[in-house]
Amino acid sequence: DAGVTQSPTHLIKTRGQQVTLRCSPKSGHDTVSWYQQALGQGPQFIFQYYEEEERQRGNFPDRFSGHQFPNYSSELNVNALLLGDSALYLCASSLRFSSGNNEQFFGPGTRLTVL
Amino acid sequence: GEDVEQSLFLSVREGDSSVINCTYTDSSSTYLYWYKQEPGAGLQLLTYIFSNMDMKQDQRLTVLLNKKDKHLSLRIADTQTGDSAIYFCAVNGGGKLIFGQGTELSVKP
């Protein structure tokens, strides 16, 4: 049973460019959440997708957008990259209705460096 | 908004017990979690506790929850060098997880 997978592993971009990160959830999960983890910090919630719609959003600008596909996989897009967007981007999957326990399983992350 | 605080560093000797502490502000959190992150890796879910419990034990791990003081702790018995990592406390904030800044555990042989 494959866990949460993310691609690519590492990415280097320059300021102003756009980037797309991809995530496949754990088998049987239907909800995908994205988090940004800056160096030395805890993960910060970006947004969550369920039934192909954004259900919750954290305190991130509109430059951050996403998508969920019918097979539950998801993409995170970031436009007009800033130096401050350099971070580890983590995808987490969960089961929407799991008796209240929002147990989230994380992928290995995508390390984004903006130069 | 919800805030989760952790001490930044903890150093112990191999074989000792480690206790990592966490405080949070939102008393409505129903589940509270502990994650482990090794260098260059994602987050591994270690254990969780439901808010109506005071304690949960899972092999070498013991979670204690004091709801009155909004204090959560993770005790690792017989700490090994392989336990060296960053440990994150997280609370369930309406479907999203809110994390502390992480405690770096260093285990010396």
Side-chain angles (χ1 to χ4, degrees), chain A residues 10-50:
Chain A
H10 295 88
L11 208 48
I12 299 175
K13 293 285 188 180
T14 56
R15 280 179 295 175
Q17 284 189 311
Q18 178 263 345
V19 68
T20 297
L21 311 181
R22 295 176 176 83
C23 170
S24 290
K26 183 177 165 64
S27 177
H29 285 182
D30 57 9
T31 299
V32 173
S33 303
W34 286 92
Y35 293 81
Q36 180 195 65
Q37 186 180 20
L39 200 61
Q41 302 295 317
Q44 298 289 316
F45 175 76
I46 304 175
F47 43 52
Q48 183 178 84
Y49 277 83
Y50 169 67

Side-chain angles (χ1 to χ4, degrees), chain A residues 33-72:
Chain A
S33 303
W34 286 92
Y35 293 81
Q36 180 195 65
Q37 186 180 20
L39 200 61
Q41 302 295 317
Q44 298 289 316
F45 175 76
I46 304 175
F47 43 52
Q48 183 178 84
Y49 277 83
Y50 169 67
E51 287 186 337
E52 302 179 49
E53 288 190 19
E54 183 182 294
R55 299 293 176 171
Q56 285 197 76
R57 189 178 184 92
N59 189 24
F60 279 81
D62 292 344
R63 297 186 298 109
F64 289 77
S65 63
H67 189 76
Q68 186 179 35
F69 299 93
N71 66 353
Y72 307 119

Side-chain angles (χ1 to χ4, degrees), chain B residues 2 24-31 51 70 92-94:
Chain B
E2 173 73 76
Y24 59 96
T25 56
D26 186 358
S27 58
S28 67
S29 297
T30 52
Y31 285 88
S51 59
K70 299 178 188 172
N92 185 340

Side-chain angles (χ1 to χ4, degrees), chain B residues 27-65:
Chain B
S27 58
S28 67
S29 297
T30 52
Y31 285 88
L32 301 98
Y33 306 86
W34 284 102
Y35 283 86
K36 175 183 180 183
Q37 187 175 39
E38 298 186 66
L43 277 73
Q44 174 193 354
L45 178 62
L46 289 177
T47 187
Y48 63 88
I49 188 167
F50 185 48
S51 59
N52 71 349
M53 299 169 65
D54 297 325
M55 184 182 83
K56 179 180 179 183
Q57 188 150 3
D58 185 358
Q59 299 182 336
R60 292 192 297 123
L61 305 179
T62 302
V63 179
L64 294 178
L65 176 60

